[in-house]
Amino acid sequence: MKLKIKLYSIVLVQLAIAVIMWYVSLDNPIGYQQMWAAMFGVELILASAILYGAMKQFMR
Amino acid sequence: MADENYFDFKRLAEQEEPPKGSFNIALRAITRGEYGIDYWTGGLLAAALVYQVISGIFLSFYYQAGNPYNSTIFIISKVPFGLMLLTSHLYMAYFMVALLFVHMFRQYFIGAYRGAWRWAQWLLGLVLFGLVYLIATLGYMLSYTYVGILGLHVGEVLMQRSIIGRLFPALANWLITALVGNGTTALTFQHVFIMHVAILTGLVFLVFPIHFYLYERSGPYEPAGLKKKRSKEDYVPWFPTNLFYTLFLAFVLIGIVMLASALAPQQLVQEYGFVGYNTLPFPDWYMMPMYKLMDVGGLGLSTGGVPLLVALGGFVVLLPFIDKYKGDAPLERPAITAIGIFIILFFVIMAFWGYIQPGLSQTRLFTLIMFAGIAFVAFAVTYAMKFARDDVIRNEIKNKTV
């Protein structure tokens, strides 16, 4: 149960970042691209955390 | 050590019962012990390759071989996300080259090049190593910076002064023309671009599946002392655990590259042909050891630089056939381990030296003394550890008998 809460909260954070990424990409894809790439990097690392958590669960 | 006659190609058709690797099942279950990053350096390289292909396809939409520098500037300043695309393509290439070394030296130190098919896997791995190095170097030339063009010229000189160039100069010149065109910017960059994106990358995609197939057939290398019988419970199914772990590592790698690109975007150096006072052409870090070696050893066939590289290259190619040690641990193969440490120290020292004193040549004697010093450190440390280890084992046996 605790793991589920953790995974869902990561997804929520990802969703929030994704909305900002969407806004940035439409607003100024050249000027703010570094900000966008940093957020994309964080998104990927969060996604990897979800995959790792799920993998550990399946390994039990 | 592996069974006899494992160099026989006919054995590839033989089926093993039960299969050691995932040869007959694409989705192989692996043991819990294999979920460690050192088992997955090859997987990381594959992830890097996929990223390079995807980002490279996007970059190729905007790159113009006839107008290399300005189209690179266009990608950086006018294309949406172009700077991040180009920077991440560059940084992933750096990671790929670094991972090549990690992947190769891991197999080197644990002796994974020995055994049925592992020798062929090792040789194909070396081919991939050379191809990726070439692709990375050619990619660096594509932006028409002064470093890239000077690197291209050094490559041409090396070909002219190589064994082929000295024995058959006309052949070397023909080869240079075939590879890099007639010297005009448009044709040269068309050639370099096609080699970078199609010919050499195509070769990687030809060799890599065979390399991977051989791995799947053999499974991860298990040193003789650590081999154990496994039951069904030790295995974890491929789906979803193995898939999730692969994606986990790939996402972490790409995530780190994206963060690095965001924090330190690529700065394009000056275009070739501009007079830059007080600027020294620095090659990229992975070329730096070779560049410094040419500084101190010279470019020629009879001088120090080229023969040393050829000797080191020849050694790693012949390694599966000359390693006759019975043991598996690095200290049970002391000479091989010491040479490996020598190669690592040599590359690191030459790279640092290159950055500190670029273009400063040394006398042959000084260079030889330095190489002898590195060799002494590598061999002395390895053999001291080996003797200490033997001593501990002898004492343990003695204590047990007492």
Side-chain angles (χ1 to χ4, degrees), chain A residues 6-57:
Chain A
K6 271 185 202 167
L7 293 184
Y8 279 121
S9 45
I10 292 176
V11 171
L12 276 180
V13 175
Q14 278 190 306
L15 191 67
I17 297 174
V19 172
I20 304 170
M21 279 171 72
W22 179 39
Y23 179 77
V24 167
S25 66
L26 290 176
D27 186 39
N28 192 351
I30 295 171
Y32 294 157
Q33 58 179 306
Q34 278 168 261
M35 197 203 293
W36 189 92
M39 286 190 286
F40 184 48
V42 173
E43 284 276 38
L44 284 172
I45 290 168
L46 287 175
S48 71
I50 293 176
L51 286 167
Y52 191 75
M55 188 202 90
K56 282 275 167 197
Q57 191 71 4

Side-chain angles (χ1 to χ4, degrees), chain B residues 300-353:
Chain B
L301 175 66
S302 56
T303 45
V306 176
L308 187 64
L309 274 187
V310 171
L312 289 179
F315 169 73
V316 288
V317 167
L318 293 174
L319 188 60
F321 314 104
I322 53 178
D323 183 357
K324 299 287 179 206
Y325 283 116
K326 290 218 162 57
D328 269 307
L331 289 178
E332 287 171 354
R333 302 177 293 121
I336 304 288
T337 305
I339 294 172
I341 294 172
F342 170 80
I343 296 173
I344 292 174
L345 283 178
F346 166 78
F347 269 78
V348 173
I349 289 172
M350 292 307 275
F352 272 105
W353 194 13

Side-chain angles (χ1 to χ4, degrees), chain A residues 24-25 29-30 32-42 44-45 47-52 54-56 58-60, chain B residues 32 35 76-84 236 240-241 244-245 247-248 251-252 254-256 258-259 261-262 265:
Chain A
V24 167
S25 66
I30 295 171
Y32 294 157
Q33 58 179 306
Q34 278 168 261
M35 197 203 293
W36 189 92
M39 286 190 286
F40 184 48
V42 173
L44 284 172
I45 290 168
S48 71
I50 293 176
L51 286 167
Y52 191 75
M55 188 202 90
K56 282 275 167 197
F58 281 114
M59 271 172 83
R60 275 185 194 168
Chain B
R32 282 157 204 277
Y35 287 106
I76 288 174
S77 55
K78 294 279 190 297
V79 174
F81 305 109
L83 176 62
M84 288 300 103
V236 191
T241 41
F244 278 16
Y245 195 72
L247 289 175
F248 155 70
F251 283 7
V252 169
I254 300 169
I256 290 171
M258 290 316 293
L259 284 174
S261 310

Side-chain angles (χ1 to χ4, degrees), chain B residues 253-310:
Chain B
L253 179 70
I254 300 169
I256 290 171
V257 167
M258 290 316 293
L259 284 174
S261 310
L263 292 173
Q266 187 186 356
Q267 307 284 333
L268 197 63
V269 291
Q270 226 170 21
E271 187 180 2
Y272 178 70
F274 273 81
V275 183
Y277 293 107
N278 287 327
T279 49
L280 267 173
F282 271 92
D284 254 2
W285 59 270
Y286 50 88
M287 288 306 284
M288 193 48 122
M290 275 68 90
Y291 164 85
K292 190 64 200 169
L293 187 64
M294 298 311 151
D295 256 3
V296 297
L299 283 167
L301 175 66
S302 56
T303 45
V306 176
L308 187 64
L309 274 187
V310 171

